[in-house]
Amino acid sequence: MASKKVLIVYAHQSSGSFNSAAKDAAVEVLTAKGCTVEVSDLYAMKFKATATAEDITGNVKNADHFCYGEETKLAWEAGTLTADITEEQRKLTEADLVIFQFPMYWFTVPAIMKGWMDRVLTLGFAFTHEKRYSQGIFKDKKAMLSFTTGSQESMFSANGINGDMNVTLWPLQNGILHYCGFQVLAPQIFWAPSHVPSEARGTMLESWRTRMQGLLGENPLAFTPLDCFDGDKGYQLKPEVHEKHAAKEFGLTVGIHLGKALPPNNQMKAGV
């Protein structure tokens, strides 16, 4: 891990929170292993969450019909994005690994972290029509989610009231991280730390510390490669790929399930 650069995008307001402890543990362990660690503390930075025309310092192409994706692509090319965005893009460009540390809000990231994703992962910088998914711009980088839940693990099961956590994670891990090309490491999920004794919270943090010893060497989660889809036919799965999996019990992934049972732990464990 020596000389590797790690960016932690962190979203919690309280320094006394479990999320803060998880972030601090990551900084401590990864720094001790020789990594250079930067933290973007979004609340402390008062990071702007809304993606608006104010994110561009120069003139826009079409003020009457402002298209954020196209306009920020032009601004990125021209060097006229605001300083807060360009600074985060610098950190991301330099990073080998990005860890998103947050409390799960309404089955997703807090608004301030979603704003970071909306504003920093601009068209051109983070993805293009040609460069996405397995052929994405960040295909040589790794990223992962590390988060706390309010609900216990059983509630996020296939039989639980919240539904399968693998399904919950699909939009974030496939639709944002993998879409930009990241190799997505298995998430670090801290189940309902506010509802367990302090000893159990200590055990959770210790397992995180142990995992970080080999984090950058982990294999990523499995996603279906871009070349398995036919771009001339609406990016449908190619017939030969479909046929190859026709007799298998499970679908390819949580999202590309082929009408079959979802592959167990597809978004939670590598190598399944």
Side-chain angles (χ1 to χ4, degrees), residues 9-13 42-43 47-51 102-106 108-119:
V9 183
Y10 168 67
H12 201 291
Q13 298 172 70
L42 301 183
Y43 286 105
F47 191 81
K48 176 174 169 280
T50 52
F102 62 95
M104 180 168 272
Y105 283 7
W106 293 111
T108 189
V109 297
I112 199 167
M113 182 171 281
K114 182 55 165 56
W116 187 97
M117 294 169 172
D118 288 348
R119 297 178 66 229

PDB file of all heavy atoms in Angstrom, residues 9-13 42-43 47-51 102-106 108-119:
ATOM      1  N   VAL A   9     -14.211  10.688   1.334  1.00  0.00           N
ATOM      2  CA  VAL A   9     -15.283  11.674   1.242  1.00  0.00           C
ATOM      3  C   VAL A   9     -16.224  11.376   2.405  1.00  0.00           C
ATOM      4  O   VAL A   9     -16.862  10.320   2.449  1.00  0.00           O
ATOM      5  CB  VAL A   9     -16.014  11.586  -0.115  1.00  0.00           C
ATOM      6  CG1 VAL A   9     -17.069  12.681  -0.216  1.00  0.00           C
ATOM      7  CG2 VAL A   9     -15.019  11.697  -1.268  1.00  0.00           C
ATOM      8  N   TYR A  10     -16.292  12.316   3.330  1.00  0.00           N
ATOM      9  CA  TYR A  10     -16.905  12.059   4.636  1.00  0.00           C
ATOM     10  C   TYR A  10     -18.097  12.982   4.866  1.00  0.00           C
ATOM     11  O   TYR A  10     -18.001  14.194   4.652  1.00  0.00           O
ATOM     12  CB  TYR A  10     -15.835  12.272   5.715  1.00  0.00           C
ATOM     13  CG  TYR A  10     -16.341  12.335   7.129  1.00  0.00           C
ATOM     14  CD1 TYR A  10     -16.903  11.222   7.747  1.00  0.00           C
ATOM     15  CD2 TYR A  10     -16.236  13.518   7.868  1.00  0.00           C
ATOM     16  CE1 TYR A  10     -17.361  11.282   9.053  1.00  0.00           C
ATOM     17  CE2 TYR A  10     -16.677  13.587   9.178  1.00  0.00           C
ATOM     18  CZ  TYR A  10     -17.248  12.472   9.758  1.00  0.00           C
ATOM     19  OH  TYR A  10     -17.699  12.534  11.046  1.00  0.00           O
ATOM     20  N   ALA A  11     -19.216  12.401   5.286  1.00  0.00           N
ATOM     21  CA  ALA A  11     -20.421  13.192   5.490  1.00  0.00           C
ATOM     22  C   ALA A  11     -21.087  12.856   6.826  1.00  0.00           C
ATOM     23  O   ALA A  11     -21.948  11.973   6.909  1.00  0.00           O
ATOM     24  CB  ALA A  11     -21.399  12.976   4.339  1.00  0.00           C
ATOM     25  N   HIS A  12     -20.644  13.533   7.869  1.00  0.00           N
ATOM     26  CA  HIS A  12     -21.341  13.495   9.161  1.00  0.00           C
ATOM     27  C   HIS A  12     -21.006  14.776   9.906  1.00  0.00           C
ATOM     28  O   HIS A  12     -19.874  15.251   9.862  1.00  0.00           O
ATOM     29  CB  HIS A  12     -20.944  12.276   9.993  1.00  0.00           C
ATOM     30  CG  HIS A  12     -21.971  11.943  11.048  1.00  0.00           C
ATOM     31  ND1 HIS A  12     -22.197  12.755  12.136  1.00  0.00           N
ATOM     32  CD2 HIS A  12     -22.851  10.912  11.155  1.00  0.00           C
ATOM     33  CE1 HIS A  12     -23.171  12.236  12.880  1.00  0.00           C
ATOM     34  NE2 HIS A  12     -23.588  11.116  12.290  1.00  0.00           N
ATOM     35  N   GLN A  13     -22.000  15.322  10.593  1.00  0.00           N
ATOM     36  CA  GLN A  13     -21.807  16.610  11.252  1.00  0.00           C
ATOM     37  C   GLN A  13     -21.097  16.520  12.596  1.00  0.00           C
ATOM     38  O   GLN A  13     -20.530  17.504  13.071  1.00  0.00           O
ATOM     39  CB  GLN A  13     -23.172  17.286  11.467  1.00  0.00           C
ATOM     40  CG  GLN A  13     -23.907  17.578  10.178  1.00  0.00           C
ATOM     41  CD  GLN A  13     -25.314  18.066  10.432  1.00  0.00           C
ATOM     42  OE1 GLN A  13     -25.515  19.164  10.918  1.00  0.00           O
ATOM     43  NE2 GLN A  13     -26.289  17.240  10.093  1.00  0.00           N
ATOM     44  N   LEU A  42     -17.300  17.079   4.251  1.00  0.00           N
ATOM     45  CA  LEU A  42     -18.248  17.886   3.494  1.00  0.00           C
ATOM     46  C   LEU A  42     -19.016  18.896   4.340  1.00  0.00           C
ATOM     47  O   LEU A  42     -19.228  20.037   3.918  1.00  0.00           O
ATOM     48  CB  LEU A  42     -19.213  16.984   2.726  1.00  0.00           C
ATOM     49  CG  LEU A  42     -18.558  16.015   1.724  1.00  0.00           C
ATOM     50  CD1 LEU A  42     -19.631  15.224   0.974  1.00  0.00           C
ATOM     51  CD2 LEU A  42     -17.663  16.756   0.741  1.00  0.00           C
ATOM     52  N   TYR A  43     -19.428  18.505   5.547  1.00  0.00           N
ATOM     53  CA  TYR A  43     -20.143  19.455   6.397  1.00  0.00           C
ATOM     54  C   TYR A  43     -19.214  20.566   6.881  1.00  0.00           C
ATOM     55  O   TYR A  43     -19.588  21.745   6.875  1.00  0.00           O
ATOM     56  CB  TYR A  43     -20.792  18.746   7.582  1.00  0.00           C
ATOM     57  CG  TYR A  43     -22.016  17.944   7.216  1.00  0.00           C
ATOM     58  CD1 TYR A  43     -21.965  16.555   7.138  1.00  0.00           C
ATOM     59  CD2 TYR A  43     -23.240  18.568   6.935  1.00  0.00           C
ATOM     60  CE1 TYR A  43     -23.088  15.805   6.800  1.00  0.00           C
ATOM     61  CE2 TYR A  43     -24.362  17.834   6.602  1.00  0.00           C
ATOM     62  CZ  TYR A  43     -24.280  16.453   6.537  1.00  0.00           C
ATOM     63  OH  TYR A  43     -25.393  15.715   6.187  1.00  0.00           O
ATOM     64  N   PHE A  47     -19.907  22.198   1.983  1.00  0.00           N
ATOM     65  CA  PHE A  47     -19.928  21.879   0.560  1.00  0.00           C
ATOM     66  C   PHE A  47     -21.330  22.076  -0.002  1.00  0.00           C
ATOM     67  O   PHE A  47     -22.319  21.594   0.553  1.00  0.00           O
ATOM     68  CB  PHE A  47     -19.470  20.435   0.334  1.00  0.00           C
ATOM     69  CG  PHE A  47     -19.203  20.109  -1.115  1.00  0.00           C
ATOM     70  CD1 PHE A  47     -18.009  20.469  -1.700  1.00  0.00           C
ATOM     71  CD2 PHE A  47     -20.161  19.467  -1.887  1.00  0.00           C
ATOM     72  CE1 PHE A  47     -17.747  20.179  -3.042  1.00  0.00           C
ATOM     73  CE2 PHE A  47     -19.912  19.176  -3.223  1.00  0.00           C
ATOM     74  CZ  PHE A  47     -18.714  19.538  -3.800  1.00  0.00           C
ATOM     75  N   LYS A  48     -21.419  22.787  -1.108  1.00  0.00           N
ATOM     76  CA  LYS A  48     -22.698  23.079  -1.757  1.00  0.00           C
ATOM     77  C   LYS A  48     -23.283  21.804  -2.356  1.00  0.00           C
ATOM     78  O   LYS A  48     -22.616  21.108  -3.124  1.00  0.00           O
ATOM     79  CB  LYS A  48     -22.474  24.140  -2.839  1.00  0.00           C
ATOM     80  CG  LYS A  48     -23.691  24.503  -3.685  1.00  0.00           C
ATOM     81  CD  LYS A  48     -23.332  25.671  -4.598  1.00  0.00           C
ATOM     82  CE  LYS A  48     -24.387  25.937  -5.660  1.00  0.00           C
ATOM     83  NZ  LYS A  48     -24.299  25.015  -6.803  1.00  0.00           N
ATOM     84  N   ALA A  49     -24.523  21.508  -2.021  1.00  0.00           N
ATOM     85  CA  ALA A  49     -25.114  20.237  -2.445  1.00  0.00           C
ATOM     86  C   ALA A  49     -25.861  20.319  -3.771  1.00  0.00           C
ATOM     87  O   ALA A  49     -26.104  19.296  -4.403  1.00  0.00           O
ATOM     88  CB  ALA A  49     -26.065  19.717  -1.362  1.00  0.00           C
ATOM     89  N   THR A  50     -26.227  21.524  -4.191  1.00  0.00           N
ATOM     90  CA  THR A  50     -27.075  21.638  -5.379  1.00  0.00           C
ATOM     91  C   THR A  50     -26.256  21.897  -6.632  1.00  0.00           C
ATOM     92  O   THR A  50     -25.366  22.740  -6.659  1.00  0.00           O
ATOM     93  CB  THR A  50     -28.092  22.785  -5.206  1.00  0.00           C
ATOM     94  OG1 THR A  50     -27.383  23.977  -4.822  1.00  0.00           O
ATOM     95  CG2 THR A  50     -29.111  22.445  -4.137  1.00  0.00           C
ATOM     96  N   ALA A  51     -26.583  21.159  -7.685  1.00  0.00           N
ATOM     97  CA  ALA A  51     -25.921  21.311  -8.984  1.00  0.00           C
ATOM     98  C   ALA A  51     -26.650  22.387  -9.777  1.00  0.00           C
ATOM     99  O   ALA A  51     -27.755  22.154 -10.281  1.00  0.00           O
ATOM    100  CB  ALA A  51     -25.938  19.978  -9.735  1.00  0.00           C
ATOM    101  N   PHE A 102     -20.305   7.506   5.441  1.00  0.00           N
ATOM    102  CA  PHE A 102     -21.550   8.237   5.666  1.00  0.00           C
ATOM    103  C   PHE A 102     -22.571   7.412   6.447  1.00  0.00           C
ATOM    104  O   PHE A 102     -22.493   6.189   6.487  1.00  0.00           O
ATOM    105  CB  PHE A 102     -22.163   8.629   4.309  1.00  0.00           C
ATOM    106  CG  PHE A 102     -22.530   7.451   3.430  1.00  0.00           C
ATOM    107  CD1 PHE A 102     -23.815   6.935   3.412  1.00  0.00           C
ATOM    108  CD2 PHE A 102     -21.564   6.840   2.620  1.00  0.00           C
ATOM    109  CE1 PHE A 102     -24.147   5.845   2.606  1.00  0.00           C
ATOM    110  CE2 PHE A 102     -21.889   5.763   1.807  1.00  0.00           C
ATOM    111  CZ  PHE A 102     -23.177   5.268   1.802  1.00  0.00           C
ATOM    112  N   PRO A 103     -23.561   8.076   7.036  1.00  0.00           N
ATOM    113  CA  PRO A 103     -24.724   7.371   7.576  1.00  0.00           C
ATOM    114  C   PRO A 103     -25.750   7.221   6.459  1.00  0.00           C
ATOM    115  O   PRO A 103     -25.999   8.170   5.708  1.00  0.00           O
ATOM    116  CB  PRO A 103     -25.234   8.333   8.665  1.00  0.00           C
ATOM    117  CG  PRO A 103     -24.838   9.696   8.179  1.00  0.00           C
ATOM    118  CD  PRO A 103     -23.578   9.525   7.359  1.00  0.00           C
ATOM    119  N   MET A 104     -26.329   6.060   6.316  1.00  0.00           N
ATOM    120  CA  MET A 104     -27.336   5.871   5.281  1.00  0.00           C
ATOM    121  C   MET A 104     -28.587   6.669   5.635  1.00  0.00           C
ATOM    122  O   MET A 104     -29.155   6.506   6.712  1.00  0.00           O
ATOM    123  CB  MET A 104     -27.668   4.384   5.114  1.00  0.00           C
ATOM    124  CG  MET A 104     -28.707   4.125   4.040  1.00  0.00           C
ATOM    125  SD  MET A 104     -28.869   2.374   3.601  1.00  0.00           S
ATOM    126  CE  MET A 104     -27.613   2.244   2.321  1.00  0.00           C
ATOM    127  N   TYR A 105     -28.990   7.563   4.727  1.00  0.00           N
ATOM    128  CA  TYR A 105     -30.216   8.345   4.877  1.00  0.00           C
ATOM    129  C   TYR A 105     -31.202   7.883   3.808  1.00  0.00           C
ATOM    130  O   TYR A 105     -30.894   7.947   2.608  1.00  0.00           O
ATOM    131  CB  TYR A 105     -29.940   9.833   4.649  1.00  0.00           C
ATOM    132  CG  TYR A 105     -29.275  10.591   5.777  1.00  0.00           C
ATOM    133  CD1 TYR A 105     -28.805   9.949   6.916  1.00  0.00           C
ATOM    134  CD2 TYR A 105     -29.110  11.969   5.681  1.00  0.00           C
ATOM    135  CE1 TYR A 105     -28.194  10.664   7.936  1.00  0.00           C
ATOM    136  CE2 TYR A 105     -28.504  12.697   6.692  1.00  0.00           C
ATOM    137  CZ  TYR A 105     -28.047  12.041   7.813  1.00  0.00           C
ATOM    138  OH  TYR A 105     -27.445  12.753   8.812  1.00  0.00           O
ATOM    139  N   TRP A 106     -32.390   7.452   4.225  1.00  0.00           N
ATOM    140  CA  TRP A 106     -33.416   7.083   3.266  1.00  0.00           C
ATOM    141  C   TRP A 106     -32.885   6.156   2.161  1.00  0.00           C
ATOM    142  O   TRP A 106     -33.087   6.382   0.991  1.00  0.00           O
ATOM    143  CB  TRP A 106     -34.059   8.334   2.652  1.00  0.00           C
ATOM    144  CG  TRP A 106     -34.853   9.133   3.655  1.00  0.00           C
ATOM    145  CD1 TRP A 106     -34.547  10.369   4.149  1.00  0.00           C
ATOM    146  CD2 TRP A 106     -36.049   8.726   4.312  1.00  0.00           C
ATOM    147  NE1 TRP A 106     -35.481  10.758   5.069  1.00  0.00           N
ATOM    148  CE2 TRP A 106     -36.423   9.765   5.186  1.00  0.00           C
ATOM    149  CE3 TRP A 106     -36.847   7.585   4.245  1.00  0.00           C
ATOM    150  CZ2 TRP A 106     -37.557   9.697   5.995  1.00  0.00           C
ATOM    151  CZ3 TRP A 106     -37.975   7.513   5.051  1.00  0.00           C
ATOM    152  CH2 TRP A 106     -38.327   8.558   5.902  1.00  0.00           C
ATOM    153  N   THR A 108     -29.988   5.718   0.981  1.00  0.00           N
ATOM    154  CA  THR A 108     -28.953   6.225   0.085  1.00  0.00           C
ATOM    155  C   THR A 108     -28.008   7.133   0.860  1.00  0.00           C
ATOM    156  O   THR A 108     -27.989   7.112   2.097  1.00  0.00           O
ATOM    157  CB  THR A 108     -29.594   6.940  -1.130  1.00  0.00           C
ATOM    158  OG1 THR A 108     -28.587   7.245  -2.081  1.00  0.00           O
ATOM    159  CG2 THR A 108     -30.346   8.199  -0.731  1.00  0.00           C
ATOM    160  N   VAL A 109     -27.212   7.900   0.147  1.00  0.00           N
ATOM    161  CA  VAL A 109     -26.257   8.802   0.793  1.00  0.00           C
ATOM    162  C   VAL A 109     -26.955  10.079   1.237  1.00  0.00           C
ATOM    163  O   VAL A 109     -27.984  10.467   0.680  1.00  0.00           O
ATOM    164  CB  VAL A 109     -25.091   9.153  -0.161  1.00  0.00           C
ATOM    165  CG1 VAL A 109     -24.293   7.915  -0.521  1.00  0.00           C
ATOM    166  CG2 VAL A 109     -25.596   9.845  -1.423  1.00  0.00           C
ATOM    167  N   PRO A 110     -26.416  10.800   2.241  1.00  0.00           N
ATOM    168  CA  PRO A 110     -26.971  12.103   2.613  1.00  0.00           C
ATOM    169  C   PRO A 110     -26.897  13.079   1.439  1.00  0.00           C
ATOM    170  O   PRO A 110     -26.049  12.946   0.550  1.00  0.00           O
ATOM    171  CB  PRO A 110     -26.052  12.560   3.758  1.00  0.00           C
ATOM    172  CG  PRO A 110     -25.442  11.309   4.300  1.00  0.00           C
ATOM    173  CD  PRO A 110     -25.294  10.404   3.104  1.00  0.00           C
ATOM    174  N   ALA A 111     -27.772  14.064   1.451  1.00  0.00           N
ATOM    175  CA  ALA A 111     -27.870  15.022   0.338  1.00  0.00           C
ATOM    176  C   ALA A 111     -26.540  15.693   0.033  1.00  0.00           C
ATOM    177  O   ALA A 111     -26.195  15.906  -1.143  1.00  0.00           O
ATOM    178  CB  ALA A 111     -28.931  16.073   0.653  1.00  0.00           C
ATOM    179  N   ILE A 112     -25.767  16.020   1.060  1.00  0.00           N
ATOM    180  CA  ILE A 112     -24.504  16.724   0.831  1.00  0.00           C
ATOM    181  C   ILE A 112     -23.515  15.837   0.074  1.00  0.00           C
ATOM    182  O   ILE A 112     -22.741  16.321  -0.762  1.00  0.00           O
ATOM    183  CB  ILE A 112     -23.912  17.251   2.165  1.00  0.00           C
ATOM    184  CG1 ILE A 112     -22.878  18.350   1.897  1.00  0.00           C
ATOM    185  CG2 ILE A 112     -23.335  16.115   3.016  1.00  0.00           C
ATOM    186  CD1 ILE A 112     -22.479  19.133   3.151  1.00  0.00           C
ATOM    187  N   MET A 113     -23.557  14.521   0.318  1.00  0.00           N
ATOM    188  CA  MET A 113     -22.681  13.598  -0.412  1.00  0.00           C
ATOM    189  C   MET A 113     -23.204  13.362  -1.832  1.00  0.00           C
ATOM    190  O   MET A 113     -22.418  13.280  -2.773  1.00  0.00           O
ATOM    191  CB  MET A 113     -22.545  12.271   0.329  1.00  0.00           C
ATOM    192  CG  MET A 113     -21.611  11.286  -0.355  1.00  0.00           C
ATOM    193  SD  MET A 113     -21.261   9.826   0.638  1.00  0.00           S
ATOM    194  CE  MET A 113     -20.034  10.465   1.788  1.00  0.00           C
ATOM    195  N   LYS A 114     -24.510  13.281  -1.987  1.00  0.00           N
ATOM    196  CA  LYS A 114     -25.072  13.171  -3.337  1.00  0.00           C
ATOM    197  C   LYS A 114     -24.703  14.419  -4.136  1.00  0.00           C
ATOM    198  O   LYS A 114     -24.409  14.340  -5.341  1.00  0.00           O
ATOM    199  CB  LYS A 114     -26.589  13.003  -3.265  1.00  0.00           C
ATOM    200  CG  LYS A 114     -27.273  12.831  -4.633  1.00  0.00           C
ATOM    201  CD  LYS A 114     -26.688  11.668  -5.447  1.00  0.00           C
ATOM    202  CE  LYS A 114     -27.564  11.256  -6.622  1.00  0.00           C
ATOM    203  NZ  LYS A 114     -27.881  12.335  -7.550  1.00  0.00           N
ATOM    204  N   GLY A 115     -24.681  15.568  -3.471  1.00  0.00           N
ATOM    205  CA  GLY A 115     -24.266  16.797  -4.135  1.00  0.00           C
ATOM    206  C   GLY A 115     -22.823  16.743  -4.587  1.00  0.00           C
ATOM    207  O   GLY A 115     -22.477  17.242  -5.668  1.00  0.00           O
ATOM    208  N   TRP A 116     -21.968  16.120  -3.779  1.00  0.00           N
ATOM    209  CA  TRP A 116     -20.566  15.930  -4.174  1.00  0.00           C
ATOM    210  C   TRP A 116     -20.516  15.086  -5.452  1.00  0.00           C
ATOM    211  O   TRP A 116     -19.803  15.417  -6.400  1.00  0.00           O
ATOM    212  CB  TRP A 116     -19.784  15.261  -3.051  1.00  0.00           C
ATOM    213  CG  TRP A 116     -18.307  15.164  -3.263  1.00  0.00           C
ATOM    214  CD1 TRP A 116     -17.354  16.019  -2.779  1.00  0.00           C
ATOM    215  CD2 TRP A 116     -17.590  14.154  -4.000  1.00  0.00           C
ATOM    216  NE1 TRP A 116     -16.105  15.616  -3.167  1.00  0.00           N
ATOM    217  CE2 TRP A 116     -16.219  14.473  -3.922  1.00  0.00           C
ATOM    218  CE3 TRP A 116     -17.976  13.024  -4.718  1.00  0.00           C
ATOM    219  CZ2 TRP A 116     -15.237  13.689  -4.539  1.00  0.00           C
ATOM    220  CZ3 TRP A 116     -17.005  12.247  -5.334  1.00  0.00           C
ATOM    221  CH2 TRP A 116     -15.649  12.590  -5.236  1.00  0.00           C
ATOM    222  N   MET A 117     -21.286  14.020  -5.491  1.00  0.00           N
ATOM    223  CA  MET A 117     -21.308  13.154  -6.674  1.00  0.00           C
ATOM    224  C   MET A 117     -21.869  13.906  -7.882  1.00  0.00           C
ATOM    225  O   MET A 117     -21.310  13.841  -8.982  1.00  0.00           O
ATOM    226  CB  MET A 117     -22.137  11.899  -6.378  1.00  0.00           C
ATOM    227  CG  MET A 117     -21.532  10.997  -5.325  1.00  0.00           C
ATOM    228  SD  MET A 117     -22.686   9.709  -4.777  1.00  0.00           S
ATOM    229  CE  MET A 117     -21.587   8.706  -3.746  1.00  0.00           C
ATOM    230  N   ASP A 118     -22.953  14.625  -7.689  1.00  0.00           N
ATOM    231  CA  ASP A 118     -23.581  15.367  -8.789  1.00  0.00           C
ATOM    232  C   ASP A 118     -22.644  16.420  -9.370  1.00  0.00           C
ATOM    233  O   ASP A 118     -22.593  16.622 -10.586  1.00  0.00           O
ATOM    234  CB  ASP A 118     -24.850  16.071  -8.301  1.00  0.00           C
ATOM    235  CG  ASP A 118     -26.001  15.120  -8.022  1.00  0.00           C
ATOM    236  OD1 ASP A 118     -25.913  13.942  -8.416  1.00  0.00           O
ATOM    237  OD2 ASP A 118     -26.990  15.556  -7.402  1.00  0.00           O
ATOM    238  N   ARG A 119     -21.918  17.113  -8.493  1.00  0.00           N
ATOM    239  CA  ARG A 119     -21.145  18.276  -8.920  1.00  0.00           C
ATOM    240  C   ARG A 119     -19.706  17.936  -9.323  1.00  0.00           C
ATOM    241  O   ARG A 119     -19.136  18.571 -10.209  1.00  0.00           O
ATOM    242  CB  ARG A 119     -21.128  19.330  -7.819  1.00  0.00           C
ATOM    243  CG  ARG A 119     -22.518  19.875  -7.493  1.00  0.00           C
ATOM    244  CD  ARG A 119     -22.469  20.885  -6.358  1.00  0.00           C
ATOM    245  NE  ARG A 119     -21.735  22.078  -6.750  1.00  0.00           N
ATOM    246  CZ  ARG A 119     -20.762  22.629  -6.021  1.00  0.00           C
ATOM    247  NH1 ARG A 119     -20.386  22.076  -4.873  1.00  0.00           N
ATOM    248  NH2 ARG A 119     -20.155  23.725  -6.437  1.00  0.00           N
TER     249      ARG A 119
END
